[in-house]
Amino acid sequence: MTQTAVPAVPLPIRIPIREIVPWAVFVVLLALIALYFVSAEQGATAVFANMYVHEFVHDGRHLLAFPCH
């Protein structure tokens, strides 16, 4: 009796969307907060008093082409 080889059919990979969505929302929220501090944390819209946050992100602000002075 001869046996023929049956090619194995790969099963599709299941992506657990319900596990990924909370982490994706968390990462997007952190990115938006970081973008706020780099782009708008100065002057009238400042959340924190003084210029500590502005000076901390000053070089990143110029690197991303946000004017600040």
Side-chain angles (χ1 to χ4, degrees):
M1 182 184 304
T2 60
Q3 295 179 350
T4 59
V6 178
V9 178
L11 295 174
I13 298 173
R14 301 191 76 189
I15 300 173
I17 298 296
R18 290 187 177 162
E19 293 177 15
I20 294 173
V21 168
W23 288 103
V25 169
F26 178 68
V27 167
V28 167
L29 183 65
L30 285 179
L32 288 174
I33 290 171
L35 182 64
Y36 167 76
F37 280 116
V38 170
S39 64
E41 177 63 25
Q42 66 180 5
T45 61
V47 174
F48 299 106
N50 299 330
M51 297 292 284
Y52 295 123
V53 175
H54 174 80
E55 293 301 326
F56 183 74
V57 296
H58 187 89
D59 293 335
R61 183 181 304 250
H62 288 297
L63 181 67
L64 296 172
F66 285 103
C68 64
H69 50 87

